[in-house]
């Protein structure tokens, strides 16, 4: 009888630990793909005025651990630094150098540097970039 109870306890622990690993990896994989910015905090200019021609975008490639996108005018790319829900864009990124009118590009890149975590909505359609407990940027799945 003791052996059966011990076997059931070990089996239960194995099942619980397998499920916890799945939930962490599925949360990370939910960020995979392309996203388009639809909100950014801070600027006193309306969002449409900041990005009149093209909204910024970001693409995550988890297999190659890279991040890339457009900051509305120029393209950028770099190494992806992600650990669970923690994410960092503090490492220098490669950015093309076309002339861009307005401040939208600078606001986007500077705000990206402040991000320390992220969350994805239950339906997988909204990505929030967070600093502390404040959402600084919001993207929707493309």
């Amino acid at each position: 009888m003791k052996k059966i109870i011990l076997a059931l306890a070990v089996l239960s622990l194995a099942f619980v630990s397998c499920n916890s690993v799945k939930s962490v990896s599925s949360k990370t994989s939910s960020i995979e793909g392309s996203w388009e910015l639809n909100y950014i905090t801070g600027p006193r200019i309306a969002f449409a005025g900041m990005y009149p021609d093209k909204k910024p975008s970001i693409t995550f490639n988890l297999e190659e651990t890279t991040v890339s996108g457009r900051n509305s005018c120029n393209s950028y790319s770099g190494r992806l630094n992600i650990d669970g829900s923690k994410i960092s864009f503090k490492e220098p990124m490669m950015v093309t150098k076309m002339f861009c009118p307005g401040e939208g590009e600078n606001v986007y890149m500077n705000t990206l540097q402040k991000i320390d975590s992220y969350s994805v909505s239950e339906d997988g359609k909204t990505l929030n970039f967070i600093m502390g407990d404040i959402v600084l940027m919001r993207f929707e799945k493309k």
Side-chain angles (χ1 to χ4, degrees):
M1 184 70 165
K2 289 181 181 178
K3 289 182 180 179
I4 292 173
I5 292 173
L6 182 62
L8 285 174
V10 169
L11 198 58
S12 296
L13 286 173
F15 180 72
V16 168
S17 66
C18 288
N19 277 345
S20 67
V21 169
K22 270 189 218 171
S23 66
V24 168
S25 77
S26 68
K27 181 173 173 103
T28 301
S29 65
S30 64
I31 200 171
E32 178 85 31
S34 297
W35 302 83
E36 184 175 74
L37 185 71
N38 64 13
Y39 166 80
I40 191 166
T41 190
R44 294 184 179 157
I45 302 170
F47 183 80
M50 291 282 294
Y51 308 107
D53 299 325
K54 191 167 189 167
K55 293 180 185 177
S57 64
I58 193 164
T59 300
F60 297 96
N61 184 327
L62 296 178
E63 187 175 311
E64 296 180 13
T65 62
T66 60
V67 61
S68 60
R70 294 192 62 82
N71 56 25
S72 79
C73 179
N74 284 294
S75 298
Y76 64 90
S77 63
R79 188 170 155 258
L80 178 58
N81 295 304
I82 191 168
D83 182 18
S85 65
K86 299 293 181 194
I87 194 165
S88 173
F89 301 99
K90 293 185 180 13
E91 282 191 26
M93 293 208 195
M94 294 179 288
V95 181
T96 58
K97 299 288 185 185
M98 292 188 334
F99 172 75
C100 306
E103 287 298 310
E105 176 181 26
N106 290 331
V107 169
Y108 179 82
M109 296 306 287
N110 289 336
T111 304
L112 205 56
Q113 296 261 319
K114 297 175 185 176
I115 303 304
D116 56 28
S117 64
Y118 75 94
S119 68
V120 178
S121 63
E122 290 279 326
D123 62 6
K125 295 180 181 178
T126 304
L127 168 65
N128 293 307
F129 280 168
I130 304 163
M131 180 183 75
D133 60 350
I134 301 168
V135 173
L136 297 185
M137 302 170 96
R138 185 173 297 121
F139 295 79
E140 63 185 43
K141 189 79 167 176
K142 286 170 81 173

